[in-house]
């Protein structure tokens, strides 16, 4: 078992293993730190939104760190809501809010902060994406790797390679579902789904008619050799149950 | 040899080639051949690399008698060859305050310098390994091969060498930590990305003395136990890359690299990786991502590269100049190196001085040399003896330092206390015709494209800073803008993911700190005191000072200036685009600027 350390977070004593991230320890102790680019589904965090900043005081020195990736390495005092953190977090929310004025979630998250003094900032029209990168992480985690962040500096954005419909996209919607601001648009008709400029057919369940996904996403899920299902998960479970009932009846 | 001259060196660094050095070399060679002297005196059309005073180039030097000629043209070849056994050619000698200087070391540009990294630059042919060896090259390595890793590191620790890529981390300590991990393979990486605008220290070192960098890497590899190394070289540096590759090939052929270093059972392979083409790629984690074939984006890491770097293995990343200092430290001992410099910053530092200074170029001075010495004694002062206004040090991460701080010693720690930094060594000297708001805007604009754009404070902070600074420069500044810039800047400094974003506000913060009145003039009075911001400035010619020489009208791109020869000229305000070319061109200070009425 690795070394145990006691730290204080906002005055509360917390025990943790050496190397645990501040965010995780705080959460376990009921202390809330806002996050945007961190998601439990992924082991690595991009640490790019910087909203989760906290102050760490250790050996007489105070520094600002991102709690989602900062490993606790010794006794220290952590403040998640000091004046300095509130001020800098407000600036970060203001910067994101003007980058993505359509991202409503930011208003809710910053409601408790003093957001005055930012009227002067310029806004990017009609933008919703805050560049948290979760969509890219989701797509990479699936092994599809259809989207990535492209360009750099202030021109950075999420896109398919060369802004063309991606041959790797399977139309699974994982990216759109994980997006905290609803920035990834897709549309659906009875028979088709369009995302990232590519149109997919839709496969419906042979029994109940619910959308099961696209042929590509179903194929991707079962692998090249696997048998693609023709009924949806819930129908398949129901069918199994029926079959079992059937079997038992003759026992 | 004729009268003490064995060789005629022609500097063929990038700057001198641009000024026609290759033609000069050909002309001298032809002249010697025509007189049948080719056997007595060899012209070294050696790509000797930058000898440091580019703006005075092409530079020709008689060796070993050490006679230096400046601004040489093809047609000077005859006079130069005549001077082999005659009087020096007066008009080609260095002149200052009515005095001429024959020898390089008399010239104040060189006299105050102390060369360690640049000791061979401009003197040896970088493509000839024997010339490097003849001047003590690979002696340091020979010594290192007889030492234990611990002894090598101790020598480097004694030298007090600190990383010259900007952060100033003690090199010995970095090596010791890396040596302490028993995870193999380990890597040694040379950072030759040099992306700051105006900097050319590392490029010139790689061009002019590639073996010094390689020798430094081999010694580092021995110290930490690495058998593989990479030189990451800025994409635009084609010449540096060629010279390094040539030197690597020669070192393999000479048994200095490869399976058996100088006959021992130590081995090392070196290869070159071309840079990713953005300033951010010089940052350590972005650089390693780029070498691994991923996008050059920094990673949030609270674990250092010496423990987990390239391919998650222990890695030492050192700057070109740091590595090129190593051979001398091993050859002459760490204590000798530490004899110059300040208490906490030992040894020397190379600077690339450009801008409004009389002698631009590459200089290497002891740490702790004051800015005043650099600008006035070595740089010869401000062009046209105009008033000095500021010196920008450290590129986009650095700051602007005003007149009252010119007596500060330049080292790793002092400038930081004033919100600037020495940085990797770029220095831009500015006179009273530089607008400090515009300077800040320039760097912010540069970083808007050269940051990776991954994290919020840097990407969005720069976007907003650029918008506000552009507004100020164009007359749309608002009360409260200065405070808002500072507010964004502080958050960027604290909360950015990598050092690019954390230092990006420095040009803005230092210009606000030292030139706040200039910001206020723009915002409160719509006035650019330096007469630079086009929307706030109008130009006029002072009829009493104008001699009617016509320089201004020739320089004007808009055809806005008219006047008869020898009579006062006038500017047509309707045509003038406020570019400032006429003011630069006029030698009589007759072009005036004033606030443009709104
Ligand atoms: C944005 C950014 C750009 C950098 N560019 C360079 C560079 O071009 N060359 C360099 O040697 N170091 C550069 N550095 C510093 C490196 O990250 C690193 O500290 C250095 O290469 C370590 O070598 P040293 O200890 O020998 O200085 C840069 C740092 C940042 C944050
Ligand atoms: S819909 Fe396409 S881009 Fe989005 S996660 Fe699925 S495969 Fe990736
Ligand atoms: S599209 Fe959504 S998930 Fe993807 S980076 Fe933008 S905000 Fe994040
Ligand atoms: S600070 Fe700038 S360069 Fe560094 S990770 Fe953030 S966006 Fe990229
Ligand atoms: S400022 Fe430029 S455009 Fe105007 S008169 Fe002078 S040179 Fe011509
Ligand atoms: S949640 Fe930690 S940086 Fe985004
Ligand atoms: S290139 Fe010749 S002196 Fe710089």
């Amino acid at each position: 078992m690795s070394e145990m350390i006691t730290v204080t977070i906002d005055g509360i004593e917390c025990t943790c293993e050496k190397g645990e991230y501040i965010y995780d320890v705080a959460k376990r102790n009921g202390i809330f730190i806002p996050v945007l680019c961190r998601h439990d589904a992924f082991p690595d965090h991009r640490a790019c939104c910087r909203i989760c900043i906290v102050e760490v005081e250790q050996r007489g020195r105070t520094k600002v760190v991102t709690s989602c990736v900062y490993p606790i390495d010794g006794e220290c005092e952590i403040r998640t809501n000091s004046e300095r953190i509130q001020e800098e977090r407000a600036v970060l929310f203001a910067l994101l809010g003007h980058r993505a004025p359509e991202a409503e979630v930011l208003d809710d998250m910053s409601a408790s902060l003093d957001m005055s003094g930012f009227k002067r900032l310029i806004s990017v029209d009609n933008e919703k994406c805050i560049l948290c990168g979760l969509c890219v992480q989701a797509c990479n985690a699936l092994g599809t790797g259809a989207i990535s962040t492209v360009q750099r500096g202030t021109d950075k954005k999420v896109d398919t390679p060369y802004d063309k419909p991606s041959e790797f996209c399977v139309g699974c919607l994982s990216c759109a579902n994980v997006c905290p601001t609803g920035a990834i648009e897709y549309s659906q008709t009875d028979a088709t789904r369009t995302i990232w400029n590519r149109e997919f057919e839709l496969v419906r369940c042979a029994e109940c008619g619910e959308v099961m996904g696209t042929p590509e996403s179903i194929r991707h899920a079962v692998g090249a050799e696997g048998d693609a299902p023709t009924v949806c998960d819930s129908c398949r479970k129901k069918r199994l149950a029926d079959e079992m009932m059937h079997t038992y009846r003759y026992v | 040899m004729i009268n003490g001259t064995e060789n005629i060196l022609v500097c063929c660094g990038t700057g001198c080639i641009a000024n026609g050095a290759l033609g000069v070399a050909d002309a001298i060679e032809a002249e010697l051949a025509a007189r049948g002297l080719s056997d007595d005196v060899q012209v070294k059309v050696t790509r000797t690399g930058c000898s440091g005073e580019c703006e005075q180039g092409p530079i020709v030097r008689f060796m070993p008698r050490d006679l230096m000629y400046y601004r040489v043209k093809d047609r000077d070849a005859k006079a130069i060859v005549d001077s082999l056994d005659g009087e020096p050619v007066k008009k080609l000698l260095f002149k200052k305050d009515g005095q001429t200087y024959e020898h390089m070391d008399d010239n104040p540009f060189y006299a105050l310098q102390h060369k360690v990294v640049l000791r061979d630059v401009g003197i040896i042919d970088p493509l000839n390994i024997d010339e490097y060896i003849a001047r003590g090259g690979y002696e340091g390595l020979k010594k290192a091969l007889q030492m234990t890793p611990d002894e090598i590191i101790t020598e480097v620790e004694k030298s007090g060498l600190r990383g010259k890529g900007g952060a100033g981390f003690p090199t010995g300590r970095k090596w010791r930590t890396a040596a302490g991990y028993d995870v193999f393979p380990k890597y040694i990486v040379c950072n030759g990305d040099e992306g700051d605008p105006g900097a050319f220290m590392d490029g010139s070192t790689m061009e002019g003395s590639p073996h010094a960098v390689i020798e430094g890497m081999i010694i580092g590899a021995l110290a930490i136990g690495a058998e593989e190394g990479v030189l990451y070289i800025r994409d635009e540096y084609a010449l540096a890359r060629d010279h390094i590759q040539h030197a690597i090939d020669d070192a393999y052929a000479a048994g200095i690299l490869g399976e058996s270093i100088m006959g021992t059972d130590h081995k090392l392979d070196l290869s070159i990786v071309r840079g990713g083409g953005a300033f951010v790629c010089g940052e350590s984690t972005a650089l390693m991502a780029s070498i691994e074939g991923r996008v050059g984006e920094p990673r949030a890491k609270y674990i250092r590269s010496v423990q987990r770097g390239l391919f998650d293995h222990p890695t030492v990343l050192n700057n070109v100049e740091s590595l090129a200092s190593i051979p001398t430290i091993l050859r002459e001992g760490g204590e000798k190196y530490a004899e110059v410099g300040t208490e906490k910053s030992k040894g020397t530092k190379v600077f690339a001085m450009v801008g409004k200074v009389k002698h631009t170029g590459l200089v290497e001075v002891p740490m702790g040399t004051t800015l005043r010495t650099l600008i006035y004694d070595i740089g010869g002062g401000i062009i046209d003896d105009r008033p000095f206004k500021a010196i920008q040090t450290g590129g986009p991460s650095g700051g602007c330092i005003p007149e009252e701080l010119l007596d500060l010693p330049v080292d790793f720690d002092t400038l930081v206390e004033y919100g600037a930094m020495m940085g990797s060594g770029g220095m831009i000297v500015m006179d009273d015709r530089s607008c400090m708001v515009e300077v800040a805007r320039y760097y912010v604009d540069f970083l808007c494209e050269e940051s990776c754009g991954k994290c919020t404070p840097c990407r969005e902070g720069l976007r907003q800073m650029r918008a506000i600074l552009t507004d100020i420069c164009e007359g749309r500044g608002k009360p409260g803008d200065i405070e808002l810039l500072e507010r964004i800047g502080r958050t960027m400094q604290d909360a950015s993911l990598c050092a690019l974003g954390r230092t990006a506000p420095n040009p803005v913060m230092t210009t606000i700190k030292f030139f706040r009145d200039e910001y206020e003039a723009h915002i409160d009075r719509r006035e650019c005191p330096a007469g630079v911001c086009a929307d706030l400035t109008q130009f006029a010619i002072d009829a009493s000072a104008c001699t009617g020489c016509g320089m201004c009208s020739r320089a004007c791109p808009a055809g806005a200036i008219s006047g008869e020869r020898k009579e006062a000229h006038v500017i047509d305000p309707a045509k003038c685009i406020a570019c400032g070319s006429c003011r630069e061109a006029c030698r009589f200070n007759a072009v005036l600027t004033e606030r443009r009425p709104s």
Side-chain angles (χ1 to χ4, degrees), chain A residues 46-50 66 69-70 84 87-88 91 96 99 116 118 120-122 131 149 152-154 156, chain B residues 278 297 302 448-449 451-457 459-460 463-464 466 471 481 487 491 494-497:
Chain A
R46 280 172 60 86
C48 59
C49 76
R50 318 303 286 175
T66 37
V69 293
Y70 186 84
R84 179 179 181 190
E87 154 66 10
E88 291 178 6
V91 172
L96 281 179
R99 179 220 151 66
S116 60
F118 298 118
R120 174 77 164 97
L121 302 184
I122 52 163
L131 281 170
T149 56
R152 47 173 203 250
T154 46
K156 202 170 192 86
Chain B
E297 271 181 10
Y302 293 101
C448 279
E449 280 165 35
S451 98
C452 80
K454 181 176 180 176
C455 75
T456 307
R459 181 189 64 241
E460 303 303 331
R463 186 202 306 282
Q464 297 295 347
R466 175 171 60 183
D471 274 359
D481 278 358
R487 213 177 156 189
T491 297
D494 267 359
S496 291
L497 191 155

Side-chain angles (χ1 to χ4, degrees), chain B residues 358-473:
Chain B
K358 282 183 186 154
H359 314 304
T360 57
L362 213 56
V363 300
E364 181 171 6
V365 292
M367 290 273 190
T369 301
T370 65
L371 287 167
R372 196 179 297 283
T373 303
L374 276 164
I375 298 168
Y376 288 96
D377 300 333
I378 298 176
I382 310 298
I383 295 180
D384 292 338
D385 295 314
R386 298 200 64 83
F388 166 88
K389 183 161 190 181
I391 179 166
Q392 213 283 347
T393 63
S397 323
C400 286
I401 296 159
E403 169 91 44
E404 61 263 31
L405 298 180
L406 282 190
D407 291 310
L408 289 181
V410 184
D411 59 17
F412 286 110
D413 312 299
T414 311
L415 297 182
V416 173
E417 291 167 29
Y418 295 85
M421 62 193 257
M422 178 175 82
S424 56
M427 287 198 165
I428 303 175
V429 178
M430 292 176 274
D431 66 10
D432 60 335
R433 288 173 175 175
S434 302
C435 167
M436 303 316 285
V437 187
E438 168 57 28
V439 167
R441 197 194 61 82
Y442 168 81
Y443 283 106
V444 167
D445 197 43
F446 172 82
L447 290 176
C448 279
E449 280 165 35
E450 299 292 322
S451 98
C452 80
K454 181 176 180 176
C455 75
T456 307
C458 176
R459 181 189 64 241
E460 303 303 331
L462 285 167
R463 186 202 306 282
Q464 297 295 347
M465 279 186 161
R466 175 171 60 183
I468 297 171
L469 290 166
T470 305
D471 274 359
I472 297 178
C473 289

Side-chain angles (χ1 to χ4, degrees), chain A residues 128-135 158 175 178-181 183-184:
Chain A
K128 258 189 173 176
C129 172
I130 55 167
L131 281 170
C132 68
L134 287 176
C135 52
V158 175
C175 52
V178 80
C179 177
T181 67
I184 299 177

Side-chain angles (χ1 to χ4, degrees), chain A residues 225-244:
Chain A
E225 305 292 312
D227 288 329
T230 53
V231 293
C232 70
D233 257 9
S234 50
C235 289
R236 187 174 53 88
K237 282 193 194 123
K238 227 167 79 209
R239 198 194 267 174
L240 265 176
D242 285 349
E243 272 169 20
M244 261 197 273

Side-chain angles (χ1 to χ4, degrees), chain A residues 63-232:
Chain A
K63 57 186 174 182
V64 173
V65 304
T66 37
S67 60
C68 68
V69 293
Y70 186 84
I72 295 174
D73 65 350
E75 271 179 37
C76 59
E77 192 184 325
I78 297 159
R79 293 181 286 269
T80 73
N81 239 332
S82 65
E83 230 170 78
R84 179 179 181 190
I85 292 299
Q86 290 195 27
E87 154 66 10
E88 291 178 6
R89 202 175 275 147
V91 172
L92 291 171
F93 271 119
L95 290 174
L96 281 179
H98 285 79
R99 179 220 151 66
E102 306 297 317
E104 283 151 23
V105 60
L106 299 173
D107 299 335
D108 304 337
M109 289 179 73
S110 60
S112 66
L113 295 164
D114 175 7
M115 297 300 292
S116 60
F118 298 118
K119 288 219 175 60
R120 174 77 164 97
L121 302 184
I122 52 163
S123 295
V124 179
D125 290 340
N126 301 321
E127 184 57 86
K128 258 189 173 176
C129 172
I130 55 167
L131 281 170
C132 68
L134 287 176
C135 52
V136 177
Q137 277 196 298
C139 192
N140 284 343
L142 286 168
T144 35
I147 49 175
S148 61
T149 56
V150 297
Q151 318 225 33
R152 47 173 203 250
T154 46
D155 294 330
K156 202 170 192 86
K157 60 177 182 173
V158 175
D159 206 347
T160 50
Y162 308 106
D163 202 15
K164 297 235 170 64
S166 164
E167 56 173 312
F168 300 113
C169 177
V170 297
C172 67
L173 298 191
S174 300
C175 52
N177 291 334
V178 80
C179 177
T181 67
I184 299 177
E185 286 176 9
Y186 64 95
S187 58
Q188 211 156 287
T189 65
D190 280 352
T192 62
R193 169 187 291 168
T194 307
I195 184 165
W196 294 112
N197 293 320
R198 184 167 161 195
E199 192 179 275
F200 295 88
E201 281 171 39
L202 285 179
V203 177
R204 289 181 180 273
C205 171
E207 299 207 344
C208 68
E210 269 301 303
V211 173
M212 286 171 60
T214 66
E216 291 84 352
S217 66
I218 294 168
R219 174 55 54 212
H220 185 78
V222 296
E225 305 292 312
D227 288 329
T230 53
V231 293
C232 70

Side-chain angles (χ1 to χ4, degrees), chain B residues 19 27 90 144 148 151 185 223 254 321 408-409 463:
Chain B
N19 286 325
K90 272 252 159 45
T148 63
E151 285 165 348
E321 199 185 326
L408 289 181
R463 186 202 306 282

